[in-house]
Amino acid sequence: MTRNLYQQFVGYLLGSTSSKSVGVFRIVFGSVITFMVASWGPHLYGLFGYKGTYPWEVYQKELANFPSVFHVNGSNAFVYICYAVLLASCIAFTLGWFSRFMALIMTILFASFTWRNPAIRYGASEITQCFLLGFIFLRSDAMHALR
């Protein structure tokens, strides 16, 4: 009796499940992230630029300990390149093209952008980064994916 209950519990907890729902969640989550990142586009220079709302000098002085790719370079050209890579990886992630690798790129760049301007960092940013970290380890491209 106990062995049967244990087998049922393990089968329920660790049994193989369909990855269809994970694929659908990837599409919905990726669409929301793509829309959020695309909304930064018209105000990219003002939000993240060298002389934006949080100038480079202040960023270097106050946020030097936070992880960001912008510690390498703070020029406007570098911001635009990182933004283009982030937006492209969001679209590729939504479509399911190398979704784990795209989730890794998105995690690094999304965190870098939100740390670059703390005025846009809020609770949804933290939750987004947690989901993106989860998608790095989750096989979400098994269903509804471009291969």
Side-chain angles (χ1 to χ4, degrees), residues 19-21 23-24 26-27 94-96 140-146:
S19 58
K20 190 178 224 180
S21 60
V24 171
R26 185 203 71 241
I27 293 168
T94 304
L95 295 175
S140 65
D141 58 354
M143 297 290 285
H144 308 297
L146 225 146

Side-chain angles (χ1 to χ4, degrees), residues 26-147:
R26 185 203 71 241
I27 293 168
V28 172
F29 181 72
S31 299
V32 170
I33 296 299
T34 303
F35 177 74
M36 183 167 52
V37 169
S39 70
W40 295 344
H43 311 288
L44 197 63
Y45 179 72
L47 288 172
F48 308 108
Y50 190 80
K51 296 286 184 191
T53 56
Y54 212 75
W56 176 252
E57 295 84 17
V58 176
Y59 171 74
Q60 288 289 77
K61 192 183 312 176
E62 294 181 9
L63 298 173
N65 297 328
F66 293 106
S68 176
V69 296
F70 294 115
H71 291 306
V72 177
N73 190 346
S75 69
N76 291 330
F78 189 69
V79 169
Y80 285 116
I81 290 169
C82 288
Y83 177 75
V85 170
L86 177 61
L87 192 58
S89 63
C90 287
I91 293 168
F93 174 80
T94 304
L95 295 175
W97 189 64
F98 294 103
S99 62
R100 287 180 176 174
F101 182 65
M102 294 302 153
L104 176 67
I105 292 172
M106 288 168 60
T107 301
I108 294 168
L109 289 177
F110 190 81
S112 296
F113 272 103
T114 54
W115 279 116
R116 173 64 182 92
N117 186 353
I120 66 163
R121 188 170 186 83
Y122 55 102
S125 302
E126 301 295 330
I127 293 170
T128 300
Q129 289 173 12
C130 290
F131 276 127
L132 285 172
L133 267 174
F135 271 112
I136 292 172
F137 303 105
L138 188 65
R139 181 165 174 130
S140 65
D141 58 354
M143 297 290 285
H144 308 297
L146 225 146
R147 292 182 196 216

